[in-house]
Amino acid sequence: MIARLGISLTVGAFVTTYIIRSLTVKDYGIYAVLYSLIGYVSVIGSLGIPAVCQRFVPEALQQKEYSLIKQLVFRGLILRVVLSVATVCMILLFHGPIGRLLKVDGFVGYFSIFAWGIVLSLEASLLTSVLHSLFLHKYSVIASTLYTIFRGGCVCVLLTMGLGIRGVLWAEVAAWGLWALLQYLAYYFQFARLHTGGEETALPLYRYVRYGGLSSLNDIGGSILGVSTDFFIITVFLGPEAVALYAFADRVIRIFAHVLPHVVLIDVIRPTFFTKYAESRNKQHLAAMFNLLVKIGAFCVIPLAAGMLVLGDKMIAIVFKPEYLTAKWILWLLMAFTTINIFAQPTGLVLQAVEQVQINLYSKIFAIYNLVVELLVIQWFGVTGVVLVTCSAVLFKNLFCYYYAKKYAGLRIDWRSLGTIAANAVIMMLVLWPLRQFVDTFVSLSAVVVVGMLVYLVSSWYNKAFNSQERGYINRIVGWPVCGF
């Protein structure tokens, strides 16, 4: 999973930057609106299937119930493709009113291309969850790497041919198709074919349906709290050009977020988390892992937010387009949103492990607050108001989930360590601020970023946030004494 960072930092970041620089602001806004439809088709066409696989495949693997795993995966793949195809067909059937609502001229032409890519994307994401739950990460990384390179090549060729946004859409469809195929072959040859025969195990349908149903309802609420709903509200009231600013800021954050350790390794952490808890049933392990994950997230996200606050406008003008400089406020707000969200993933894992997934569902009451207040503020405060409302809704949701995770698993946040991390980030900011005046090229920007990283690491080395037990655990996992912080 760490090896995949090289591709994400090079090919993945280059392709995203190339798309942003090549498309007009309006076309990029349309692309973002179409892309956000993936989340809604996923919610409608999933019925909690990915969540069921993530939670119960590792447990079945621990108990060597291989026939149960194969039944679960096969039925999940078939059911998801049927539901997702039905959903995109309904969107195509009502393309007229949907296109007018979203203010996307020629919506049916764009979506006719992208629709089948959505189906392939959802199958690929489900297969990714399956491979990670089976600890077949190596094959997932191989497939992901080939997908990223193939996607990059297709995007560059089709944009060079002058196909514009339609070329980007065709590239996405082709790349998702390859990704789904490669992952299915990996699953078949590295697991399904190797575990033939054996005793047939009946599916515990009630347990799975309950968990999947609650997860599905939770996903519906999550989609309202996500950027996809923000995009739809903005395009309805302000048009796709306004979406482009929000989508640009969101995509920049994602470029950096996708290479952070706690994000890169979540596909290793999640199945390990559930497998270990299934083995020990010790809630103290949940509490310890929770704090470790929060600290790892904070150690990476807080300095990133601090650096973005100081150098964000310089990065936009130099790396992307000066036309997007008006999005700097949105970028800073989304970084605050990302910092708030460091608690979400560890809290969610704890609630999933103790099978209290209904708490995640109840927390989506704040999705209603998010939707209603966004509709009230967008006319007066525009995109910035929408972002602020979403950030506040996510904060309330996280606090709600943490309260119940603390109740069921005895969690307690190590605020002292988080304060130490924040102090180290402030030291980095104080060094970066006078250096920003020298940033006017990509080389000078890169040099200042490196200086900031070194200052933060040195400060963290002397002002440690992790305790000795956590440092020892991380070093044992990695195999080298890399964590001295």
Side-chain angles (χ1 to χ4, degrees):
M1 300 304 292
I2 294 173
R4 192 174 62 178
L5 275 176
I7 296 296
S8 298
L9 285 169
T10 53
V11 179
F14 170 78
V15 172
T16 299
T17 305
Y18 187 60
I19 290 173
I20 292 172
R21 294 176 66 93
S22 299
L23 298 180
T24 64
V25 173
K26 181 178 180 180
D27 279 351
Y28 186 69
I30 293 172
Y31 172 69
V33 170
L34 292 170
Y35 219 94
S36 63
L37 287 170
I38 296 175
Y40 283 94
V41 177
S42 175
V43 167
I44 299 170
S46 291
L47 294 180
I49 296 168
V52 170
C53 287
Q54 289 173 356
R55 174 62 183 87
F56 295 111
V57 168
E59 182 177 278
L61 184 67
Q62 171 73 19
Q63 297 168 357
K64 295 183 172 57
E65 295 178 329
Y66 303 125
S67 66
L68 180 65
I69 294 172
K70 289 194 287 184
Q71 289 183 68
L72 185 58
V73 172
F74 177 75
R75 295 184 185 187
L77 289 170
I78 295 298
L79 184 58
R80 196 175 202 196
V81 76
V82 170
L83 292 172
S84 57
V85 168
T87 306
V88 298
C89 286
M90 289 297 295
I91 295 174
L92 285 170
L93 182 62
F94 295 99
H95 66 85
I98 293 175
R100 288 191 296 272
L101 178 66
L102 300 179
K103 292 185 172 64
V104 176
D105 296 330
F107 173 79
V108 66
Y110 297 128
F111 192 73
S112 296
I113 300 170
F114 201 62
W116 313 115
I118 292 178
V119 176
L120 293 169
S121 169
L122 296 181
E123 288 296 283
S125 66
L126 180 56
L127 285 164
T128 300
S129 296
V130 170
L131 291 180
H132 292 164
S133 298
L134 295 171
F135 293 93
L136 297 173
H137 294 81
K138 178 175 71 173
Y139 303 99
S140 169
V141 169
I142 292 171
S144 174
T145 300
L146 293 174
Y147 153 76
T148 303
I149 295 172
F150 180 75
R151 174 177 178 259
C154 288
V155 166
C156 291
V157 169
L158 295 177
L159 283 177
T160 303
M161 291 171 62
L163 296 181
I165 184 174
R166 292 181 185 274
V168 175
L169 297 179
W170 278 117
E172 298 283 15
V173 173
W176 279 325
L178 176 66
W179 194 18
L181 175 62
L182 291 174
Q183 291 193 112
Y184 179 78
L185 292 175
Y187 163 74
Y188 177 76
F189 285 107
Q190 298 301 322
F191 179 79
R193 192 183 66 163
L194 301 179
H195 298 92
T196 57
E199 183 180 351
E200 289 291 328
T201 306
L203 284 173
L205 285 178
Y206 175 77
R207 187 184 182 198
Y208 289 178
V209 169
R210 176 187 176 276
Y211 190 92
L214 290 171
S215 297
S216 181
L217 293 172
N218 178 57
D219 290 341
I220 293 173
S223 67
I224 298 175
L225 277 170
V227 296
S228 296
T229 298
D230 294 348
F231 290 172
F232 287 143
I233 291 175
I234 292 168
T235 193
V236 167
F237 285 90
L238 306 176
E241 293 89 343
V243 173
L245 298 177
Y246 193 167
F248 163 77
D250 178 66
R251 189 55 62 93
V252 171
I253 297 296
R254 289 176 185 271
I255 290 174
F256 292 102
H258 283 168
V259 300
L260 297 179
H262 69 293
V263 177
V264 172
L265 297 177
I266 185 58
D267 294 318
V268 178
I269 293 168
R270 184 185 291 113
T272 304
F273 200 98
F274 296 145
T275 301
K276 289 298 182 184
Y277 182 67
E279 181 181 358
S280 69
R281 295 293 175 179
N282 188 340
K283 291 184 179 179
Q284 289 185 348
H285 291 167
L286 293 181
M289 185 62 76
F290 168 83
N291 263 312
L292 178 60
L293 293 179
V294 169
K295 289 182 190 179
I296 292 173
F299 186 82
C300 302
V301 172
I302 291 177
L304 175 61
M308 201 72 74
L309 182 63
V310 177
L311 299 172
D313 55 338
K314 299 286 186 179
M315 177 197 65
I316 292 172
I318 294 171
V319 178
F320 299 100
K321 285 181 177 180
E323 292 94 318
Y324 285 103
L325 274 172
T326 52
K328 66 181 180 181
W329 291 101
I330 302 173
L331 183 69
W332 290 336
L333 288 173
L334 286 181
M335 270 312 317
F337 168 90
T338 305
T339 305
I340 292 170
N341 234 18
I342 60 173
F343 300 98
Q345 201 172 73
T347 303
L349 288 174
V350 170
L351 292 174
Q352 285 178 283
V354 296
E355 295 190 39
Q356 296 295 333
V357 69
Q358 74 273 11
I359 301 302
N360 283 324
L361 172 60
Y362 300 156
S363 73
K364 297 310 183 291
I365 187 67
F366 298 106
I368 299 174
Y369 153 83
N370 183 57
L371 183 60
V372 172
V373 179
E374 280 183 359
L375 292 172
L376 293 175
V377 306
I378 189 169
Q379 296 283 25
W380 289 274
F381 300 100
V383 178
T384 304
V386 171
V387 177
L388 281 171
V389 172
T390 298
C391 288
S392 65
V394 170
L395 174 61
F396 298 149
K397 178 201 63 115
N398 289 347
L399 291 173
F400 180 89
C401 289
Y402 172 72
Y403 170 80
Y404 281 98
K406 181 179 180 180
K407 178 179 177 180
Y408 286 113
L411 303 183
R412 181 175 296 176
I413 296 175
D414 187 352
W415 290 109
R416 182 175 181 179
S417 294
L418 296 182
T420 300
I421 293 170
N424 294 333
V426 169
I427 293 172
M428 181 193 74
M429 287 181 66
L430 294 175
V431 174
L432 287 180
W433 186 259
L435 295 178
R436 65 172 268 119
Q437 63 182 311
F438 302 108
V439 176
D440 54 7
T441 64
F442 183 78
V443 173
S444 58
L445 174 64
S446 301
V448 171
V449 168
V450 170
V451 170
M453 291 174 62
L454 291 175
V455 169
Y456 176 71
L457 292 175
V458 170
S459 178
S460 299
W461 186 272
Y462 287 101
N463 194 22
K464 300 183 187 298
F466 295 90
N467 60 44
S468 58
Q469 182 179 1
E470 291 166 338
R471 290 195 295 271
Y473 180 77
I474 294 172
N475 289 333
R476 285 197 304 274
I477 292 293
V478 176
W480 295 287
V482 295
C483 183
F485 309 110

PDB file of all heavy atoms in Angstrom, residues 242-259:
ATOM      1  N   ALA A 242     -19.875  27.819 -10.809  1.00  0.00           N
ATOM      2  CA  ALA A 242     -19.663  27.938  -9.367  1.00  0.00           C
ATOM      3  C   ALA A 242     -19.242  26.602  -8.761  1.00  0.00           C
ATOM      4  O   ALA A 242     -18.437  26.556  -7.826  1.00  0.00           O
ATOM      5  CB  ALA A 242     -20.937  28.452  -8.684  1.00  0.00           C
ATOM      6  N   VAL A 243     -19.775  25.508  -9.302  1.00  0.00           N
ATOM      7  CA  VAL A 243     -19.375  24.177  -8.833  1.00  0.00           C
ATOM      8  C   VAL A 243     -17.891  23.958  -9.066  1.00  0.00           C
ATOM      9  O   VAL A 243     -17.204  23.326  -8.262  1.00  0.00           O
ATOM     10  CB  VAL A 243     -20.193  23.084  -9.544  1.00  0.00           C
ATOM     11  CG1 VAL A 243     -19.658  21.699  -9.183  1.00  0.00           C
ATOM     12  CG2 VAL A 243     -21.661  23.176  -9.169  1.00  0.00           C
ATOM     13  N   ALA A 244     -17.386  24.490 -10.195  1.00  0.00           N
ATOM     14  CA  ALA A 244     -15.982  24.267 -10.554  1.00  0.00           C
ATOM     15  C   ALA A 244     -15.041  24.751  -9.458  1.00  0.00           C
ATOM     16  O   ALA A 244     -14.021  24.108  -9.168  1.00  0.00           O
ATOM     17  CB  ALA A 244     -15.653  24.969 -11.873  1.00  0.00           C
ATOM     18  N   LEU A 245     -15.362  25.880  -8.816  1.00  0.00           N
ATOM     19  CA  LEU A 245     -14.490  26.408  -7.762  1.00  0.00           C
ATOM     20  C   LEU A 245     -14.455  25.465  -6.564  1.00  0.00           C
ATOM     21  O   LEU A 245     -13.390  25.163  -6.020  1.00  0.00           O
ATOM     22  CB  LEU A 245     -14.983  27.793  -7.335  1.00  0.00           C
ATOM     23  CG  LEU A 245     -14.982  28.871  -8.417  1.00  0.00           C
ATOM     24  CD1 LEU A 245     -15.556  30.170  -7.872  1.00  0.00           C
ATOM     25  CD2 LEU A 245     -13.581  29.087  -8.968  1.00  0.00           C
ATOM     26  N   TYR A 246     -15.631  25.001  -6.156  1.00  0.00           N
ATOM     27  CA  TYR A 246     -15.730  24.062  -5.035  1.00  0.00           C
ATOM     28  C   TYR A 246     -15.062  22.742  -5.405  1.00  0.00           C
ATOM     29  O   TYR A 246     -14.287  22.175  -4.621  1.00  0.00           O
ATOM     30  CB  TYR A 246     -17.211  23.861  -4.714  1.00  0.00           C
ATOM     31  CG  TYR A 246     -17.508  23.161  -3.403  1.00  0.00           C
ATOM     32  CD1 TYR A 246     -18.794  23.177  -2.893  1.00  0.00           C
ATOM     33  CD2 TYR A 246     -16.538  22.477  -2.673  1.00  0.00           C
ATOM     34  CE1 TYR A 246     -19.127  22.540  -1.699  1.00  0.00           C
ATOM     35  CE2 TYR A 246     -16.842  21.848  -1.489  1.00  0.00           C
ATOM     36  CZ  TYR A 246     -18.140  21.871  -1.005  1.00  0.00           C
ATOM     37  OH  TYR A 246     -18.442  21.239   0.170  1.00  0.00           O
ATOM     38  N   ALA A 247     -15.350  22.246  -6.621  1.00  0.00           N
ATOM     39  CA  ALA A 247     -14.779  20.969  -7.053  1.00  0.00           C
ATOM     40  C   ALA A 247     -13.264  21.042  -7.153  1.00  0.00           C
ATOM     41  O   ALA A 247     -12.562  20.081  -6.822  1.00  0.00           O
ATOM     42  CB  ALA A 247     -15.371  20.565  -8.401  1.00  0.00           C
ATOM     43  N   PHE A 248     -12.762  22.181  -7.619  1.00  0.00           N
ATOM     44  CA  PHE A 248     -11.306  22.360  -7.702  1.00  0.00           C
ATOM     45  C   PHE A 248     -10.679  22.258  -6.321  1.00  0.00           C
ATOM     46  O   PHE A 248      -9.706  21.513  -6.117  1.00  0.00           O
ATOM     47  CB  PHE A 248     -10.994  23.724  -8.321  1.00  0.00           C
ATOM     48  CG  PHE A 248      -9.579  24.173  -8.082  1.00  0.00           C
ATOM     49  CD1 PHE A 248      -8.535  23.637  -8.818  1.00  0.00           C
ATOM     50  CD2 PHE A 248      -9.291  25.124  -7.109  1.00  0.00           C
ATOM     51  CE1 PHE A 248      -7.223  24.042  -8.580  1.00  0.00           C
ATOM     52  CE2 PHE A 248      -7.993  25.526  -6.866  1.00  0.00           C
ATOM     53  CZ  PHE A 248      -6.957  24.985  -7.612  1.00  0.00           C
ATOM     54  N   ALA A 249     -11.224  22.998  -5.350  1.00  0.00           N
ATOM     55  CA  ALA A 249     -10.671  22.967  -3.994  1.00  0.00           C
ATOM     56  C   ALA A 249     -10.762  21.562  -3.403  1.00  0.00           C
ATOM     57  O   ALA A 249      -9.805  21.068  -2.774  1.00  0.00           O
ATOM     58  CB  ALA A 249     -11.403  23.971  -3.106  1.00  0.00           C
ATOM     59  N   ASP A 250     -11.883  20.901  -3.613  1.00  0.00           N
ATOM     60  CA  ASP A 250     -12.065  19.544  -3.100  1.00  0.00           C
ATOM     61  C   ASP A 250     -11.069  18.578  -3.728  1.00  0.00           C
ATOM     62  O   ASP A 250     -10.484  17.733  -3.039  1.00  0.00           O
ATOM     63  CB  ASP A 250     -13.505  19.081  -3.387  1.00  0.00           C
ATOM     64  CG  ASP A 250     -13.756  17.659  -2.930  1.00  0.00           C
ATOM     65  OD1 ASP A 250     -13.713  17.408  -1.716  1.00  0.00           O
ATOM     66  OD2 ASP A 250     -13.998  16.792  -3.796  1.00  0.00           O
ATOM     67  N   ARG A 251     -10.849  18.705  -5.042  1.00  0.00           N
ATOM     68  CA  ARG A 251      -9.908  17.797  -5.713  1.00  0.00           C
ATOM     69  C   ARG A 251      -8.474  18.029  -5.264  1.00  0.00           C
ATOM     70  O   ARG A 251      -7.702  17.073  -5.117  1.00  0.00           O
ATOM     71  CB  ARG A 251     -10.043  17.963  -7.232  1.00  0.00           C
ATOM     72  CG  ARG A 251      -9.274  16.923  -8.045  1.00  0.00           C
ATOM     73  CD  ARG A 251      -9.655  15.505  -7.645  1.00  0.00           C
ATOM     74  NE  ARG A 251     -11.053  15.210  -7.895  1.00  0.00           N
ATOM     75  CZ  ARG A 251     -11.486  14.645  -9.020  1.00  0.00           C
ATOM     76  NH1 ARG A 251     -10.648  14.342  -9.973  1.00  0.00           N
ATOM     77  NH2 ARG A 251     -12.772  14.375  -9.163  1.00  0.00           N
ATOM     78  N   VAL A 252      -8.102  19.284  -5.016  1.00  0.00           N
ATOM     79  CA  VAL A 252      -6.754  19.575  -4.510  1.00  0.00           C
ATOM     80  C   VAL A 252      -6.549  18.919  -3.151  1.00  0.00           C
ATOM     81  O   VAL A 252      -5.498  18.300  -2.891  1.00  0.00           O
ATOM     82  CB  VAL A 252      -6.522  21.100  -4.424  1.00  0.00           C
ATOM     83  CG1 VAL A 252      -5.221  21.403  -3.686  1.00  0.00           C
ATOM     84  CG2 VAL A 252      -6.480  21.717  -5.820  1.00  0.00           C
ATOM     85  N   ILE A 253      -7.547  19.050  -2.278  1.00  0.00           N
ATOM     86  CA  ILE A 253      -7.448  18.410  -0.957  1.00  0.00           C
ATOM     87  C   ILE A 253      -7.294  16.903  -1.113  1.00  0.00           C
ATOM     88  O   ILE A 253      -6.493  16.263  -0.419  1.00  0.00           O
ATOM     89  CB  ILE A 253      -8.699  18.726  -0.110  1.00  0.00           C
ATOM     90  CG1 ILE A 253      -8.822  20.226   0.157  1.00  0.00           C
ATOM     91  CG2 ILE A 253      -8.654  17.946   1.208  1.00  0.00           C
ATOM     92  CD1 ILE A 253      -7.719  20.812   0.968  1.00  0.00           C
ATOM     93  N   ARG A 254      -8.048  16.323  -2.041  1.00  0.00           N
ATOM     94  CA  ARG A 254      -7.996  14.876  -2.233  1.00  0.00           C
ATOM     95  C   ARG A 254      -6.628  14.420  -2.745  1.00  0.00           C
ATOM     96  O   ARG A 254      -6.166  13.330  -2.401  1.00  0.00           O
ATOM     97  CB  ARG A 254      -9.089  14.430  -3.199  1.00  0.00           C
ATOM     98  CG  ARG A 254     -10.488  14.510  -2.615  1.00  0.00           C
ATOM     99  CD  ARG A 254     -11.543  14.152  -3.635  1.00  0.00           C
ATOM    100  NE  ARG A 254     -12.886  14.338  -3.117  1.00  0.00           N
ATOM    101  CZ  ARG A 254     -13.568  13.412  -2.471  1.00  0.00           C
ATOM    102  NH1 ARG A 254     -13.031  12.219  -2.264  1.00  0.00           N
ATOM    103  NH2 ARG A 254     -14.788  13.662  -2.026  1.00  0.00           N
ATOM    104  N   ILE A 255      -5.992  15.233  -3.588  1.00  0.00           N
ATOM    105  CA  ILE A 255      -4.649  14.880  -4.073  1.00  0.00           C
ATOM    106  C   ILE A 255      -3.714  14.654  -2.895  1.00  0.00           C
ATOM    107  O   ILE A 255      -2.955  13.672  -2.843  1.00  0.00           O
ATOM    108  CB  ILE A 255      -4.093  15.981  -5.002  1.00  0.00           C
ATOM    109  CG1 ILE A 255      -4.861  16.004  -6.322  1.00  0.00           C
ATOM    110  CG2 ILE A 255      -2.600  15.754  -5.272  1.00  0.00           C
ATOM    111  CD1 ILE A 255      -4.458  17.149  -7.232  1.00  0.00           C
ATOM    112  N   PHE A 256      -3.729  15.576  -1.942  1.00  0.00           N
ATOM    113  CA  PHE A 256      -2.857  15.457  -0.780  1.00  0.00           C
ATOM    114  C   PHE A 256      -3.348  14.391   0.198  1.00  0.00           C
ATOM    115  O   PHE A 256      -2.561  13.631   0.756  1.00  0.00           O
ATOM    116  CB  PHE A 256      -2.748  16.809  -0.065  1.00  0.00           C
ATOM    117  CG  PHE A 256      -2.015  17.854  -0.850  1.00  0.00           C
ATOM    118  CD1 PHE A 256      -2.697  18.846  -1.519  1.00  0.00           C
ATOM    119  CD2 PHE A 256      -0.634  17.833  -0.933  1.00  0.00           C
ATOM    120  CE1 PHE A 256      -2.032  19.812  -2.254  1.00  0.00           C
ATOM    121  CE2 PHE A 256       0.064  18.790  -1.659  1.00  0.00           C
ATOM    122  CZ  PHE A 256      -0.642  19.786  -2.328  1.00  0.00           C
ATOM    123  N   ALA A 257      -4.674  14.335   0.399  1.00  0.00           N
ATOM    124  CA  ALA A 257      -5.223  13.393   1.384  1.00  0.00           C
ATOM    125  C   ALA A 257      -4.960  11.946   0.993  1.00  0.00           C
ATOM    126  O   ALA A 257      -4.726  11.092   1.864  1.00  0.00           O
ATOM    127  CB  ALA A 257      -6.720  13.630   1.556  1.00  0.00           C
ATOM    128  N   HIS A 258      -4.992  11.666  -0.313  1.00  0.00           N
ATOM    129  CA  HIS A 258      -4.836  10.278  -0.766  1.00  0.00           C
ATOM    130  C   HIS A 258      -3.441   9.711  -0.508  1.00  0.00           C
ATOM    131  O   HIS A 258      -3.248   8.500  -0.610  1.00  0.00           O
ATOM    132  CB  HIS A 258      -5.163  10.174  -2.251  1.00  0.00           C
ATOM    133  CG  HIS A 258      -6.637  10.203  -2.518  1.00  0.00           C
ATOM    134  ND1 HIS A 258      -7.170  10.365  -3.775  1.00  0.00           N
ATOM    135  CD2 HIS A 258      -7.697  10.093  -1.685  1.00  0.00           C
ATOM    136  CE1 HIS A 258      -8.491  10.358  -3.706  1.00  0.00           C
ATOM    137  NE2 HIS A 258      -8.827  10.189  -2.445  1.00  0.00           N
ATOM    138  N   VAL A 259      -2.466  10.580  -0.202  1.00  0.00           N
ATOM    139  CA  VAL A 259      -1.110  10.081   0.041  1.00  0.00           C
ATOM    140  C   VAL A 259      -0.737  10.158   1.518  1.00  0.00           C
ATOM    141  O   VAL A 259       0.399   9.863   1.882  1.00  0.00           O
ATOM    142  CB  VAL A 259      -0.068  10.855  -0.805  1.00  0.00           C
ATOM    143  CG1 VAL A 259      -0.357  10.700  -2.278  1.00  0.00           C
ATOM    144  CG2 VAL A 259      -0.028  12.343  -0.433  1.00  0.00           C
TER     145      VAL A 259
END
